Amino acid sequence: MAAHDHPLFTRVYAMVSGLGEHSELGPARSHVLAGATGRLLIVGLGPGHDLDHLPPAVTSVVAVEPSPSMRAAAHGRVEAARSRGIEVELIDAVGEALPLPDDSVDSVLFAYVLCSVDSVTDVLAEARRVLHPGGTVCVLEHVRAAPGSWTGRMQRAVSTGGLWSRLAGGCRCDQDTRRALADAGLHVEDLEERRLVNVPVVNWTLMGSSRP
Ligand SMILES: C[S@@+](CC[C@H](N)C(=O)[O-])C[C@H]1O[C@@H](n2cnc3c(N)ncnc32)[C@H](O)[C@@H]1O
């Protein structure tokens, strides 16, 4: 889906998230994925770093990623996961229209993607449709900081006029993802919020796992 392709952002993001693997971000990915089991849906695979953090209970992965340059950036990690015996299917599709049957996955991962999708409501509805009853939703998302906080003011400043969104592949850095997840019927009480990465506008992070 060429409309979703931002090759320059792909290069920058792949480099930054690769560096993040050596900081708090790698352990954070392992932490949120710890509750994933069985067939895992990854919405917005990006360069695929989550594939390096799958717990043993995950037996197969189906990932959707609409950006051709991101799929290319993920190629090596997809092959590495396959060589570890994990079946990985990578599909050119968006989270708003998952080409998957109802009740067909055991877990879903949203990592740094709900900020970029066209419709968070539709993506969450689709995830609930394909997730088995009792399945797990893993979340690692940067979110809106407290209003009036320094980070919150920064987020508002860079969002003005769509500047941040243009630079960061359509990302909305001030999104209230906790509210969106709760509105979609997920239990969000146990999701932790804390500062994670070093980029101020995207450091306030919602993380953990939840069940509808
Ligand atoms: C910032 S990257 C995060 C990638 C990865 N999840 C991670 O944690 O590193 C966001 C990804 O979501 C993808 N994306 C954008 N809109 C999407 C949509 N509607 N459905 C699925 N993926 C989407 C982008 O192409 C990009 O690869």
Side-chain angles (χ1 to χ4, degrees):
M1 295 186 180
H4 286 86
D5 209 17
H6 306 278
L8 180 59
F9 173 66
T10 294
R11 287 173 63 175
V12 173
Y13 184 79
M15 190 187 73
V16 170
S17 54
L19 291 172
E21 289 296 288
H22 306 290
S23 69
E24 288 178 293
L25 190 52
R29 291 188 191 277
S30 294
H31 173 70
V32 304
L33 276 165
T37 58
R39 186 162 177 73
L40 169 69
L41 165 66
I42 301 181
V43 180
L45 181 66
H49 290 286
D50 289 302
L51 296 173
D52 296 339
H53 296 275
L54 300 176
V58 169
T59 50
S60 68
V61 172
V62 56
V64 294
E65 174 50 68
S67 157
S69 60
M70 283 291 190
R71 290 198 301 276
H75 178 76
R77 285 179 198 92
V78 169
E79 289 305 320
R82 286 176 178 154
S83 71
R84 294 193 299 273
I86 300 160
E87 183 196 316
V88 182
E89 192 183 350
L90 177 53
I91 306 174
D92 177 7
V94 290
E96 289 89 342
L98 294 170
L100 300 173
D102 295 358
D103 297 351
S104 58
V105 303
D106 303 291
S107 317
V108 178
L109 171 66
F110 297 115
Y112 298 113
V113 63
L114 291 174
C115 55
S116 305
V117 301
D118 291 337
S119 168
V120 180
T121 308
D122 290 353
V123 169
L124 294 176
E126 275 290 85
R128 289 209 56 181
R129 178 183 68 77
V130 302
L131 184 65
H132 280 311
T136 303
V137 177
C138 305
V139 177
L140 179 63
E141 292 283 340
H142 67 78
V143 293
R144 173 186 297 179
S149 65
W150 186 81
T151 303
R153 287 199 296 271
M154 284 276 290
Q155 288 178 334
R156 211 171 54 204
V158 299
S159 298
T160 306
L163 172 67
W164 176 259
S165 188
R166 278 200 300 280
L167 290 174
C171 167
R172 299 172 297 273
C173 65
D174 58 350
Q175 185 165 280
D176 190 351
T177 299
R178 182 186 284 276
R179 165 60 64 86
L181 292 167
D183 288 350
L186 278 114
H187 293 292
V188 294
E189 302 78 19
D190 293 338
L191 295 179
E192 180 190 351
E193 270 185 60
R194 65 178 170 99
R195 284 200 175 79
L196 193 62
V197 296
N198 290 329
V199 182
V201 292
V202 293
N203 64 4
W204 202 244
T205 306
L206 182 67
M207 56 189 286
S209 60
S210 167
R211 291 209 159 83

